[in-house]
Amino acid sequence: MKTERIILGIDPGTNVMGYGVIRAIGNKAEMVAMGVIDLRKMTDPYLRLGHIFERITGIIDAYLPDEMAVEAPFFGKNVQSMLKLGRAQGVAIAAAIQRKVPIHEYAPLKIKMAITGNGKASKEQVAGMLQRMLTLNPDEMPKFMDATDALAAAYCHFLQLGQPTTEGKSYRGWKDFVAKNQSRVKKN
């Protein structure tokens, strides 16, 4: 019997935070929910953090995820933006810790690569690939791409679960695999 896993994905944000939930059974995944936590009308930054905690805790209680995948902050922004984003991410992580949900963090480049095969893909390209891979109807696609970014984090984690173990080694592609495994490569 195939085991079911519920994966919650989070795209941290201080104005709009995305979330996406997928159900994985064996090697198949389906979207359960996705949406955003809209914080734009809240002016107090500490009340925003409290609201993030409450909403993420509520989402965890509603969907009972087995794991949470969160997008790591992108380091190209200014220091103040990074600090604010890190706080939002930390509060979402604290909500998962409180509910004893294991957390996995993925760099934006890793998520984009897993979904589209291109680490520099646009948000629109990521959303389009998710729509095809999860067979989502156009009316299921959200207004804010923060939701599809969160769904992408969850789907990226799902894909990682299916990766075969390589005895602790990681490879950047076939060329890297060949370079690190010369004894296993057949030579003509």
Side-chain angles (χ1 to χ4, degrees):
M1 187 170 175
K2 296 179 180 178
T3 59
E4 176 183 280
R5 300 189 71 71
I6 303 295
I7 303 168
L8 168 62
I10 298 292
D11 178 39
T14 54
N15 290 321
V16 178
M17 178 176 274
Y19 67 90
V21 181
I22 63 169
R23 176 183 297 114
I25 300 173
N27 65 352
K28 298 208 183 314
E30 66 180 1
M31 182 197 64
V32 174
M34 73 173 147
V36 296
I37 301 168
D38 192 345
L39 305 157
R40 294 174 297 169
K41 292 182 180 173
M42 300 181 85
T43 56
D44 185 305
Y46 302 108
L47 291 178
R48 282 182 180 197
L49 295 175
H51 188 66
I52 290 169
F53 187 84
E54 289 171 5
R55 286 293 313 276
I56 297 298
T57 303
I59 291 165
I60 290 169
D61 291 345
Y63 295 104
L64 303 173
D66 297 294
E67 297 174 86
M68 182 172 90
V70 62
E71 183 175 309
F74 177 67
F75 293 103
K77 298 180 179 181
N78 71 43
V79 175
Q80 284 302 315
S81 293
M82 284 300 301
L83 180 62
K84 290 175 185 175
L85 198 55
R87 287 177 179 168
Q89 181 196 39
V91 168
I93 288 171
I97 290 169
Q98 183 198 40
R99 292 296 196 256
K100 296 181 176 30
V101 177
I103 301 139
H104 305 273
E105 188 175 35
Y106 295 97
L109 185 114
K110 172 99 175 171
I111 294 170
K112 291 175 181 182
M113 185 66 97
I115 303 302
T116 68
N118 175 5
K120 296 183 186 221
S122 68
K123 288 179 174 286
E124 292 81 10
Q125 289 171 315
V126 170
M129 282 302 290
L130 283 171
Q131 186 176 1
R132 287 189 284 286
M133 291 188 304
L134 295 170
T135 57
L136 304 174
N137 294 322
D139 61 328
E140 292 179 288
M141 298 308 288
K143 176 182 171 186
F144 293 100
M145 293 207 178
D146 306 84
T148 51
D149 284 352
L151 192 65
Y155 198 78
C156 174
H157 183 64
F158 161 70
L159 293 172
Q160 296 306 303
L161 293 174
Q163 295 293 326
T165 58
T166 55
E167 301 165 6
K169 296 178 185 175
S170 63
Y171 305 102
R172 293 189 308 268
W174 281 111
K175 287 181 183 178
D176 189 36
F177 175 83
V178 170
K180 291 178 180 175
N181 292 280
Q182 287 297 312
S183 63
R184 296 174 66 184
V185 177
K186 184 179 175 183
K187 295 179 176 143
N188 291 344

